[in-house]
Amino acid sequence: MASLNLRGVNKVYPSGETGLYDINLEADDKEFLIVVGADGSGKSSLLRVVAGLEDATSGSVFIDGKDMADVEPKNRDIAMVFQSSTLYPSLNVFDNMAFGLRLRKAPEALVQERVKAVSNILGMNDILYRKPKVLTAAAKQRVAIGRAIVREPKIYLFDEPLSGLDDKLKGDMLNVIMNLQARLEGTFLYATKNVAEALTIGTRLVVLKDGFVQQIDTPANLYDYPANTYVAFYIGSPTISFVKKVKIEKEDGKYFAAFADYRVELTENIVSRFEKIEDYAGTGRYVTLGIRPEDAEICADGIFCGTVDKTTDDGCAEVDLTPDVCLTAQAKDGVEKGDKVSVKVDLTRLYIFDAASCLTLLKRDGGYAQTGRADADFIPLAYNEESRIHESLKPNKQKKKK
């Protein structure tokens, strides 16, 4: 198998749209690396650049230390599974799976051996000689995966391969893919917008937004130590609640977070992690607080008071503290819309971000699980800097008059 290394990869389309911006990441031999982000985040662009299906505007892609700049896609020894099955409708399952090997003029004996071996692994022996038109969506994706792995490439790329399946089939196929990775010990790069899917199968996640890397780390580290508000919001379900336009105040050596009619004291562990707290205390600079739903609970002795706006199927309630502040909290049975309630928050679990840059203001503590990876220390650009770069890359539509 192979290692994968991207150095300063940029992809700017003729329209000026930023597909990828300064991507630096490494996937070790036999690693299962997940690329996660919303639609338009750059996931497909990243995989297509690695595969050679699109050229990077600048930067380098290395496989096993070899620069792929002048290597054609067919010679990169990469297999890619797309969102749709892309099977050849005129060929049966066996011939679809064998197509790549035969194209490379592999001996027929090897073709027969590998196709049958992969068919056994994926449980497709009963459909080997059927045409794609009679197969279910899940079966078609199995065939597409089988066609990819039968060649035994160096790197496997999966571009949202389960996006069209229902939850039951998606769960089954996730198990198939995880078992495949364990059996093949291959290097897998898997793109998805489904966070639950990513957290289930990934050892490390690359979080993308609008072509920019936001953070690269383990699922647990992304959840507990998000680099910015985007990562905090994207990783976790139910999603984190944000309290905006919060001021930090200092009185008698203690620090407080103040917003609306509330003023709560910051706990010792939060103050110790807030390295530049004096830059905010009493200066009028705003911060944003983040509160996870599991760290908030509706109870009799809560520090916040509000009205239940709605309840959810996962045992939570959304509580309006002010017209601009809503907290999602754990709710007991019997809580209904319109109820006046109080919310208790574990203040040792607060997240604090700069209001302008959206970057975290809290350094990591002893709970952070070190990975030994340089990319785990990557600091994303400030929100306004990302916006400036996007604008600078757009072509000027105002043509000069001659």
Side-chain angles (χ1 to χ4, degrees):
M1 295 302 159
S3 61
L4 174 66
N5 189 328
L6 275 66
R7 300 178 188 172
V9 170
N10 293 280
K11 177 64 181 180
V12 181
Y13 292 97
S15 64
E17 180 186 355
T18 308
L20 301 169
Y21 183 82
D22 195 25
I23 304 296
N24 295 276
L25 64 87
E26 295 183 7
D28 289 337
D29 184 19
K30 304 176 184 179
E31 185 175 7
F32 203 144
L33 185 63
I34 307 298
V35 182
V36 63
D39 288 337
S41 62
K43 302 185 300 297
S44 294
S45 295
L46 177 59
L47 266 61
R48 292 177 68 84
V49 166
V50 171
L53 301 178
E54 291 185 11
D55 293 328
T57 305
S58 60
S60 303
V61 176
F62 294 85
I63 296 176
D64 269 348
K66 181 180 179 181
D67 192 343
M68 295 287 108
D70 298 320
V71 180
E72 293 292 325
K74 64 181 181 179
N75 297 324
R76 295 192 180 194
D77 205 8
I78 287 175
M80 187 165 179
V81 179
F82 298 90
Q83 294 181 29
S84 56
S85 59
T86 64
L87 301 178
Y88 299 106
S90 62
L91 303 180
N92 63 28
V93 170
F94 186 102
D95 291 333
N96 261 286
M97 292 172 64
F99 186 85
L101 288 173
R102 287 172 174 162
L103 189 65
R104 289 164 177 77
K105 303 188 184 306
E108 188 60 26
L110 179 63
V111 172
Q112 295 287 331
E113 176 186 337
R114 286 195 183 174
V115 171
K116 289 178 179 177
V118 170
S119 177
N120 280 326
I121 293 172
L122 295 176
M124 298 191 302
N125 289 336
D126 57 335
I127 62 169
L128 268 181
Y129 300 101
R130 296 181 185 176
K131 294 289 183 68
K133 65 180 181 180
V134 300
L135 302 180
T136 64
K140 289 178 181 178
Q141 279 304 86
R142 281 180 185 255
V143 177
I145 292 170
R147 185 174 62 185
I149 69 175
V150 77
R151 293 198 291 105
E152 298 183 3
K154 289 182 177 180
I155 294 176
Y156 301 85
L157 305 178
F158 291 83
D159 187 7
E160 298 194 60
L162 311 182
S163 59
L165 305 181
D166 61 35
D167 290 341
K168 172 63 169 61
L169 293 176
K170 188 174 293 185
D172 292 343
M173 289 303 298
L174 272 180
N175 288 329
V176 168
I177 292 170
M178 286 189 290
N179 289 334
L180 274 178
Q181 202 273 339
R183 282 191 183 215
L184 300 172
E185 295 186 334
T187 304
F188 280 44
L189 192 59
Y190 186 105
T192 180
K193 62 185 174 186
N194 187 306
V195 177
E197 193 176 309
L199 297 176
T200 298
I201 61 180
T203 53
R204 286 195 308 139
L205 275 61
V206 180
V207 183
L208 284 181
K209 177 175 77 71
D210 299 332
F212 290 75
V213 170
Q214 304 299 304
Q215 195 169 354
I216 305 174
D217 217 323
T218 65
N221 285 341
L222 291 174
Y223 187 84
D224 290 327
Y225 301 91
N228 57 23
T229 54
Y230 182 81
V231 177
F233 181 81
Y234 202 74
I235 304 297
S237 181
T239 54
I240 194 170
S241 301
F242 289 123
V243 182
K244 299 182 179 180
K245 292 189 176 180
V246 178
K247 293 182 179 180
I248 301 298
E249 299 177 352
K250 185 177 182 180
E251 183 179 324
D252 298 330
K254 297 180 180 179
Y255 296 91
F256 300 83
F259 65 95
D261 295 327
Y262 295 101
R263 190 168 183 261
V264 295
E265 183 179 352
L266 298 181
T267 60
E268 183 178 342
N269 74 305
I270 296 298
V271 173
S272 67
R273 294 177 59 200
F274 199 151
E275 291 183 296
K276 298 181 179 179
I277 194 168
E278 294 299 338
D279 292 345
Y280 292 83
T283 65
R285 292 179 65 181
Y286 286 119
V287 302
T288 298
L289 301 183
I291 300 172
R292 297 280 188 194
E294 53 269 39
D295 298 324
E297 178 186 7
I298 293 176
C299 59
D301 57 346
I303 58 174
F304 299 115
C305 297
T307 305
V308 175
D309 180 59
K310 69 176 182 179
T311 58
T312 60
D313 294 335
D314 48 16
C316 291
E318 295 181 6
V319 181
D320 290 331
L321 306 187
T322 74
D324 300 318
V325 178
C326 179
L327 291 186
T328 302
Q330 304 292 312
K332 298 178 181 178
D333 291 341
V335 173
E336 297 180 355
K337 180 177 180 178
D339 288 350
K340 302 293 184 180
V341 298
S342 63
V343 180
K344 183 177 181 179
V345 173
D346 183 354
L347 297 177
T348 68
R349 295 277 301 163
L350 278 181
Y351 300 79
I352 304 181
F353 307 91
D354 178 79
S357 70
C358 298
L359 298 177
T360 183
L361 295 172
L362 302 182
K363 66 179 181 180
R364 298 165 179 170
D365 58 14
Y368 179 82
Q370 296 289 341
T371 64
R373 305 300 296 263
D375 51 20
D377 296 323
F378 169 78
I379 299 175
L381 294 174
Y383 173 78
N384 56 354
E385 182 63 12
E386 281 189 10
S387 299
R388 185 194 67 78
I389 291 172
H390 274 299
E391 288 301 315
S392 70
L393 293 173
K394 291 181 180 179
N396 186 3
K397 295 181 180 180
Q398 298 296 323
K399 296 182 179 180
K400 294 181 179 180
K401 294 182 179 181
K402 293 183 179 181

